[in-house]
């Protein structure tokens, strides 16, 4: 049995997708042969990802963001403009194959919506007028890279100069000099004492993770940076990659040094393809300066190099085991949790997977010095956090805050006028209301998961949760009083149904069935019993799902039911013996039409 | 003022049926219809299923005669695997026939005792609250008990062969999958836990005596009520034209007895029949092509079978058949109410045949399945309790069913039942000053004689309950009393 | 290596070898953790999730747990039991499981779990999505309607070169298992059979190797446990010395459930001592003449007439019992949900083998009811109080349940009686 290295598989598929705009039948035959895979298995990998097409996707492939922030910013008229300008409806390709128009979930430009990607080049702050302009230029022969936007970084706020961690001037290579005086165990110790936790939203203690990995003996170990940033409303990693990519590279070098890894990779989401080239150039610089490859200028010399692996459009690949499978050339399905990545990860070897922000923090901690760093933020969560803000506020964009700011103050800072509800930590996060405004953005006094299921009403909630900290991976979406909460929840539910990997029953089927319940609410067919069902079904999905997607997909929904009972109340009718959703007229409409059509003659 | 009378649902039949009678302003019957309101769509949704699923699936067309469908489909599927009815192993043929006789026995017993007897015992104009099987059980307990046990016997035979009383599994392509053991069959022969087959034969003779007496007492009514000319269709034995229920040739006669379908092989059925469609019923109207829609329709079922056959192979039943024929001096019997008598003759026939088969050691054999050369078309025709049942399947090379045609027994009786409704309407209701519940029940009595199986017939979904309401021409309800 | 450790499962202390699989350890000690996708401990699949247990307070799948010293395992708490049932119910709602006509019925692992759990009806609405049955492979059929995506076939069926014959394609609710056509041809007869037997449900079939087994002698007809269902508080408005008033109807059913009602044979006369029948196809009472205590519904809703009758039953009866698979989930008639209504009508009336030349009439008249676009299970139209599964349900079973409901008594259902086919 010949084992072929499939880690290159996605690159090969991308090569064809980029050149031909689709993967054809013969391509599949050839690729399957080359990688010694069965044809159907290869189809399974290709059809898993959103950006691989089996039919031509248009010379100019347009992906229009459909997240709720984009909807509220005017996506509808932008979509109409696109459809008019190119002449086909969403989901189709023009007959001459020049344009293909598709929808896609959040592309990391929530502060500049409505936005889209054309051939993976970003176009932001779209208006119908701008759309017509873009399309006409493309028709005239311009290429997307010539007319695209450069997304702004929009850094709205940082703490005072000496209290800022990320966004202040930084000299390339400078933090790596610390590696001359520390050996690997000392680096781990520093990271542990800094109380740095995973900034992607899982908040696992970074130092501990590195320590576990270090203790596992293996001939090769890996450092993987999770730059998938798929959580809707998050764009902080994009900004870091735009402003300080050197911090990421140096962070990875430090991680490799600490755990004893010799290979690394950056898993970059496809929606950030425009950041790949500058990153590659930067990596080349590091190699030229002896900081990648054979690294000698450190206390214990070691080998380490890294490459960039492009994602292909799957939110679930932000989960670390799914990410690893994706990099191995398989479907991006999360693993069975039998082993942690630090024990058996990429290709079965000890692997550390860290978020961009986490890795960027490490060089900064060394630079600032542990004592000064610990003086920032709070006791449980020292340092700063990056928050990507979007929605109904005067100043959407990137905020670097010391941990410990009260939510109320933050809302003032961002210029939120009438904040009604907040999606804190993206679609998979909590739904906050005014009952939470006195809470602190920090890791203080955290409670165990799912606790919000056990409160009876908003008042009990406010009382018991007031001293509890709020932690977010970075996404912060605020909505004012004119927005419909149920519409937002529907957008969230649609997202999870589309992004579920499908491998485990509760997430795949459960989310779909929950979505149907939300439809009942929207159509006005819901009864009180339906709300009880939503709570019960959500609990089951949470406890039995395999990965974070299933576990967190119904959090915002249940939070909303608890905290905004009046919104749901007015959509409910009392329990009856008759199912409101069943409508005899609708059910017999087909028959009426058939009989009418069949009885007509040449009159 | 013209009216529309409605019976909705027709009760004490299987399935949903509805009757409307249109009266003109002199209360004369303008027209009358028997609507079947069920539709299921089996012929379409079974396409795409693997062919071996057909027998198990299609028996869900009907809960009273699932075995008929199971066997008809099995005969068709046998042909798909290259086995014609006579190519089956002898044990398999006999086991299938045992199953079939068991279910005809059970179905006829059900119809006679549970559904039809209330009218015969209490009279069609008796109190509707009493006119049902519960009433029979109260007033004629020993008769009711015999009826229940006769049905039980038939159901137990089915359970023996198919594993379950209703919707069991017995056939496999090219044979059956289970033989009978000595212990199993002694259950039916020794009379210990269940009245034995001999008792069944005795009771069948008893009940025929009852019906003969009933006919003598009510001769004028029974000879004229709902009597009209019609064709008659059924299977007959290939070798001698005798009564045949499992496998034979198609024979049809007209109302006078002239042959209209001369013992044709059953697989040629579609050369001879068309099915007409009316807007006012989901049930179709089969008729013989060469005669045409108006007169080419046939009755099927016990009356037709006894009419067209040249004899019955079992002695006691043959005796009774002769007595039956004597009532019309050997001519074709078009008197609808005689169907009950004919049905009871068939019960006796089935009982005698079951005895023969139970005592035949071939059913204990292991030689159960045969295989032949694969074909893509299969036709299975069988005499279900209610009449000729036709199953026809086409299969592609990937084993999928691509086409399916089902002509279910009661469909043939569709026109006959409409005639019955019209007859009663014309003769009992037309021109009368007032319409009573008893008159409406008479319509149902005529329909019930056919023992219609309306779910089967429309291989559709839905049942047609029969109700009776009287509207005026504006659609206002006239008679509240009947509506209760 | 034989490192013995102690752990507790549901409060019971157990000794086992460290690192062994929890499901196996529990089984050896008489504690049953239900599994569906679990095949062998070398490669736990953890896709079905019904083996979810609590380990030291944290929810996880039992099949991926390796026992260690001091572990506290909870297997059979009320919540965990309900979770397992809910997952099976999700599977029944997601797929198109027609047990009455399925080749694997009686040998099906998923069906057996459902029987053991006493599952009468799924709490989730049936999806009735149109899934493709793949007949293209040379020897095998992939029945996507029944596939539960357990991944056993994907992981276990390989060619000599180690390539996958079965693969997942697409994502989320569109995930399907597809067979690689070229590699499938290379499988030997025994390998194909192995794949068919590996599948816990009837999703993988090998043409010509479908064994018909006698009803009552299939694998799970002989194994399994009896169940004790819960009788809810009833709203029976019954006066003393009054007989129970029973109404029955058959909507879009085949009447088999009613026939099963009569299959108690002579016991029927005993039933008549405590019950009388009102509106029913067995009596001539065509409309409700009084309020009924219990209404037995057979069949789902296929046309407007069915809906009207069902709604009336809900109004006129204290308790509604849906009996038979048709009433519970649509049954065999619900197979028409995957075909547009137009095609069903055309096939029957315009394009059949024996339709007249130039036939152009499709029934449609004021006196016949309109067909619904789909067949609806009864509980999607009105609220139903009890469910009796079966196709048809066993006669003894029906009357036992009905009597117990009417008298408010506890009862148990034997394994033989509780069937879906």
């Amino acid at each position: 049995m010949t084992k072929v290295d499939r880690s290159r598989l996605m690159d090969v598929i991308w090569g064809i997708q980029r050149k031909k705009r689709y993967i054809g039948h013969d391509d599949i035959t050839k690729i399957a042969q080359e990688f010694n895979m069965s044809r159907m298995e290869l189809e399974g990998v290709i059809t898993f990802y959103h950006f691989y097409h089996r039919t031509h996707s248009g010379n100019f492939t347009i992906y229009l963001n459909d997240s709720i922030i984009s909807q509220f910013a005017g996506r509808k008229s932008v979509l109409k403009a696109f459809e008019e300008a190119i002449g086909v409806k969403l989901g189709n390709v023009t007959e001459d194959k020049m344009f293909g128009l598709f929808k896609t979930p959040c592309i990391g430009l929530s502060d500049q919506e409505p936005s889209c990607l054309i051939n993976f080049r970003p176009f932001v702050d779209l208006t119908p007028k701008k759309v017509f302009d873009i399309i006409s230029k493309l028709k005239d022969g311009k290429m997307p890279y010539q007319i695209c936007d450069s997304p702004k970084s929009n850094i709205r706020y940082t703490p005072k100069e000496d209290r800022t961690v990320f966004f202040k001037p930084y000299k390339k290579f400078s933090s790596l000099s610390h590696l001359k005086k520390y050996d690997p165990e000392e680096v781990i110790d520093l990271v542990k004492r800094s109380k740095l936790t995973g900034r992607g939203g899982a908040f696992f203690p970074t130092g501990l993770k590195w320590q576990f990995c270090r203790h596992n003996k293996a001939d090769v170990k890996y450092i993987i940076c999770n730059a998938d940033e798929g959580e809707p409303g998050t764009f902080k990693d994009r900004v870091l990659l735009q402003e300080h990519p050197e911090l990421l590279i140096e962070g990875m070098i430090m991680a490799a040094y600490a755990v004893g890894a010799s290979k690394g990779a950056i898993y970059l989401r496809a929606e950030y393809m425009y950041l790949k080239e500058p990153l590659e150039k930067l990596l080349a610089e590091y190699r030229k300066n002896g900081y990648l490859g054979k690294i000698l200028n450190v206390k214990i010399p070691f080998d380490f190099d890294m490459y960039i692996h492009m994602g292909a459009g799957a939110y679930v690949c932000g989960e670390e085991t799914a990410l690893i499978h994706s990099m191995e050339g398989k479907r991006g399905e999360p693993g069975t949790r039998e082993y942690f990545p630090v024990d058996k990860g990429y290709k079965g070897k000890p692997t550390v997977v860290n978020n961009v922000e986490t890795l960027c923090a490490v060089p900064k901690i060394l630079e600032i010095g542990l004592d000064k760093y610990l003086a920032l933020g709070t006791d449980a969560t020292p340092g700063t956090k990056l928050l990507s803000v979007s929605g109904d506020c005067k100043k959407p964009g990137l905020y670097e805050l010391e941990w410990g700011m009260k939510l109320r103050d933050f809302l003032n800072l961002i210029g939120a006028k009438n904040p009604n509800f907040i999606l804190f930590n993206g679609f998979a996060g909590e739904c906050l209301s005014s009952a939470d405004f006195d809470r602190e953005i920090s890791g203080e006094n955290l409670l165990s998961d799912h606790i919000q299921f056990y409160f009876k009403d908003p008042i009990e909630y406010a009382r018991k949760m007031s001293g509890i900290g709020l932690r977010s991976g970075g996404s912060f979406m605020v909505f004012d009083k004119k927005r419909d909460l149920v519409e937002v929840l529907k957008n969230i539910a649609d997202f999870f149904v589309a992004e579920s990997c499908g491998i485990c029953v509760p997430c795949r089927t459960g989310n779909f069935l929950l979505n149907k319940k939300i439809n009942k609410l929207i159509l006005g067919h819901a009864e009180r019993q339906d709300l009880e069902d939503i709570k019960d079904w959500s609990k089951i999905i949470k406890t039995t799902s395999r990965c974070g997607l299933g576990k967190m997909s119904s959090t915002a929904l249940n939070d909303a039911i608890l905290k905004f009972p009046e919104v749901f109340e007015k959509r409910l009718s009392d329990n009856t013996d008759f199912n409101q959703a069943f409508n005899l007229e609708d059910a017999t409409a087909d028959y009426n039409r058939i009989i009418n059509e069949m009885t007509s003659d040449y009159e | 003022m013209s009216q529309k009378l409605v019976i909705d649902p027709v009760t004490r039949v299987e399935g949903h049926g509805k009757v409307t009678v249109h009266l003109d302003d002199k209360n004369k019957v303008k027209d009358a219809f028997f609507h079947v309101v069920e539709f299921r769509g089996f012929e379409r949704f079974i396409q795409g299923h693997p062919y071996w699923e057909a027998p198990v699936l299609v028996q869900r067309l009907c809960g009273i005669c699932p075995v008929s469908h199971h066997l008809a489909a099995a005969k068709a599927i046998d042909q798909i695997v290259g086995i014609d009815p006579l190519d089956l192993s002898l044990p398999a043929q006999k086991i299938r026939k045992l199953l079939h006789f068991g279910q005809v026995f059970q179905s006829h017993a059900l119809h006679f005792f549970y559904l039809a007897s209330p009218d015969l015992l209490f009279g069609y104009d008796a109190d509707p609250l009493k006119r049902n099987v519960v009433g029979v059980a109260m007033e004629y307990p020993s008769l009711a008990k015999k009826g229940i046990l006769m049905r039980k016997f038939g159901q137990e035979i089915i359970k023996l062969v198919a594993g379950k009383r209703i919707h069991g599994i017995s056939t496999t392509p090219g044979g059956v999958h289970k033989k009978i053991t000595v212990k199993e069959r002694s259950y039916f022969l020794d009379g210990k836990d269940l009245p034995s087959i001999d008792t069944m034969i005795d009771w069948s003779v008893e009940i025929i005596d009852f019906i003969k007496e009933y006919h003598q007492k009510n001769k004028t009514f029974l000879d004229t009520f709902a009597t009209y000319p019609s064709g008659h269709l059924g299977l007959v034995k290939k070798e001698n034209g005798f009564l045949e229920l499992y496998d034979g040739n198609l024979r049809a006669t007209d109302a006078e007895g002239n042959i209209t379908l001369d013992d044709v092989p059953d697989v040629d059925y579609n050369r001879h029949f068309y099915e007409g469609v009316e807007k006012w019923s989901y049930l179709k109207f089969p008729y013989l092509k060469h005669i045409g829609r108006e007169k080419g329709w046939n009755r099927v079922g016990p009356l037709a079978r006894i009419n067209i056959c040249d004899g019955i192979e079992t002695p006691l039943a043959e005796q009774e058949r002769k007595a039956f024929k004597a009532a019309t001096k050997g001519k074709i019997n078009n008197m609808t109410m005689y169907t009950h008598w004919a049905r009871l003759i068939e019960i006796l026939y089935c009982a005698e045949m079951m005895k023969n088969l139970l005592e035949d050691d071939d059913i204990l054999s292991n030689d159960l399945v045969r295989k032949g050369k694969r074909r893509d078309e299969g036709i299975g025709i069988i005499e279900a309790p209610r009449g000729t049942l036709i199953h026809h399947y086409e299969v592609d090379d990937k084993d999928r069913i691509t086409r399916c045609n089902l002509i279910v027994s009661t469909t043939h009786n569709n026109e006959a039942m409409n005639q019955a409704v019209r007859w009663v309407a014309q003769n009992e209701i037309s021109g009368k000053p007032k319409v009573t519940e008893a008159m409406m029940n008479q319509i149902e009595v005529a329909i019930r004689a056919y023992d219609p199986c309306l779910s089967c017939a429309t291989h559709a979904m839905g049942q047609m309950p029969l109700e009776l309401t009287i509207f005026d021409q504006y659609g206002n309800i006239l008679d509240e009393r009947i509506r209760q | 290596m034989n490192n013995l450790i102690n752990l507790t499962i549901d409060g019971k202390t157990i000794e086992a070898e460290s690192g062994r699989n929890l499901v196996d350890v529990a089984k050896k000690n008489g504690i049953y953790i239900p599994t569906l996708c679990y095949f062998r401990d070398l490669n736990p699949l953890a896709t079905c999730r019904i083996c979810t247990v609590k380990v030291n307070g944290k929810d996880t799948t039992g099949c991926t747990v390796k026992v260690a010293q001091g572990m506290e395992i909870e297997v059979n708490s009320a919540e965990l039991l309900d979770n397992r049932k809910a997952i099976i119910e999700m599977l029944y709602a997601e797929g198109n499981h027609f047990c009455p006509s399925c080749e694997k019925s009686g040998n099906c692992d998923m069906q057996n779990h459902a029987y053991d759990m006493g599952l009468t009806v799924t709490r989730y609405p049936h999806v009735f999505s149109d899934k493709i049955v793949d007949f293209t492979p040379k020897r095998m059929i992939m029945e996507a309607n029944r596939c539960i995506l357990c991944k056993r076939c994907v992981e276990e069926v390989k060619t000599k070169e180690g390539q996958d014959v079965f693969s997942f394609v697409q994502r989320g609710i569109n995930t399907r298992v597809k067979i690689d056509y070229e590699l499938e041809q290379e499988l030997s007869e025994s390998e194909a059979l192995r794949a068919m037997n590996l599948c816990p449900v009837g999703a993988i079939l090998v043409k010509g190797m479908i064994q018909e087994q006698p009803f009552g002698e299939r694998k799970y007809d002989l194994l399994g446990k009896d169940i004790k269902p819960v009788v809810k508080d009833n709203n029976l408005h019954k006066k003393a010395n009054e007989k129970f008033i029973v109404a029955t109807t058959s909507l879009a059913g085949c009447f088999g459930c009613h026939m099963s009602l009569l299959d108690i044979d002579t016991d029927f006369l005993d039933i008549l001592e405590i019950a009388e029948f009102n509106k029913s196809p067995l009596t001539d009472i065509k409309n409700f003449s009084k309020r009924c205590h219990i209404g037995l519904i057979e069949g789902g809703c296929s046309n407007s007439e069915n809906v009207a009758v069902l709604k009336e039953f809900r109004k006129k009866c204290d308790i509604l019992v849906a009996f038979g698979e048709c009433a519970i989930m649509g049954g065999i008639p619900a197979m028409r949900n995957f075909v547009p209504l137009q095609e069903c009508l055309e096939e029957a009336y315009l394009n059949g083998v024996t339709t007249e030349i130039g036939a152009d009439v499709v029934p449609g008249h004021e006196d016949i009811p309109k067909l619904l676009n789909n067949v609806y299970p009864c509980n999607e139209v009105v609220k139903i109080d009890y469910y009796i599964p079966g196709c048809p349900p066993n006669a003894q079973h029906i009357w036992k349940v009905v009597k117990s409901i009417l008298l408010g008594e506890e009862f148990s259902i034997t394994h033989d009686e509780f069937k879906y086919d």
Side-chain angles (χ1 to χ4, degrees), chain C residues 178-335:
Chain C
K178 291 204 76 175
I179 301 181
D180 188 294
Y181 303 132
E182 284 135 22
L183 295 182
E184 185 265 343
Q185 290 182 11
E186 293 170 24
L187 286 178
S188 71
E189 180 94 355
S190 64
E191 283 170 333
L193 267 179
R194 178 172 169 265
M196 181 167 88
N197 293 326
L198 188 62
C199 179
V201 296
I204 300 178
L205 306 170
V206 176
K207 300 181 195 180
M209 300 301 290
I210 317 295
Q211 299 287 32
E212 295 284 20
Q213 285 168 299
F215 188 91
E217 292 174 35
R218 304 167 301 186
K219 177 168 163 205
Y220 290 120
D221 289 336
L222 307 166
L223 302 172
K225 28 193 230 265
D226 302 341
I227 42 178
K228 262 189 170 308
V230 173
V231 178
K232 305 180 241 176
D233 290 326
N234 292 323
N235 312 318
L236 279 180
H237 306 123
K238 180 177 171 308
K239 306 190 259 279
N241 297 334
E242 201 191 2
K243 277 195 187 171
F244 288 108
I245 308 184
V246 180
T248 75
T249 183
S250 181
L251 302 174
C254 73
F255 223 64
C257 295
H258 273 76
M259 291 299 103
S260 198
L261 271 180
L262 299 176
D263 267 345
I264 42 163
D265 307 316
T266 42
D267 291 348
F268 191 62
L269 302 169
D270 301 332
I271 299 275
L272 293 178
E273 308 261 312
I274 60 161
E276 71 174 65
F277 285 85
N278 200 266
K279 178 178 162 77
S280 167
L282 303 169
T283 67
D284 273 354
I285 303 174
K286 299 175 194 289
N287 290 303
F288 283 98
S289 59
K290 32 182 148 164
R291 191 170 173 82
C292 295
H293 296 115
I294 193 165
L296 298 172
I297 314 279
E298 169 189 351
C301 290
S302 168
N303 62 33
S304 50
E305 177 96 52
N306 298 149
V307 174
V309 171
L310 182 58
K311 286 188 175 170
E312 223 209 310
F313 260 75
R314 182 69 266 181
K315 285 196 205 119
K316 295 280 173 60
C317 300
D318 292 339
I319 297 175
L320 277 191
V321 178
F323 71 126
E325 291 302 316
C326 294
I328 295 177
M329 48 75 86
I332 297 286
M335 284 186 173

Side-chain angles (χ1 to χ4, degrees), chain A residues 71-104:
Chain A
Q71 310 264 29
F72 288 159
R75 176 183 183 265
K76 199 159 163 205
S77 53
V78 167
L79 172 60
K80 205 154 151 263
F82 266 118
E83 288 178 337
E84 249 184 76
I86 64 177
V88 292
K89 289 244 173 271
L90 187 67
N92 290 302
V93 178
T94 55
E95 227 182 292
D96 59 4
K97 299 209 182 2
M98 194 176 191
F99 294 100
L101 181 61
F102 303 96
K103 67 175 179 185
T104 194

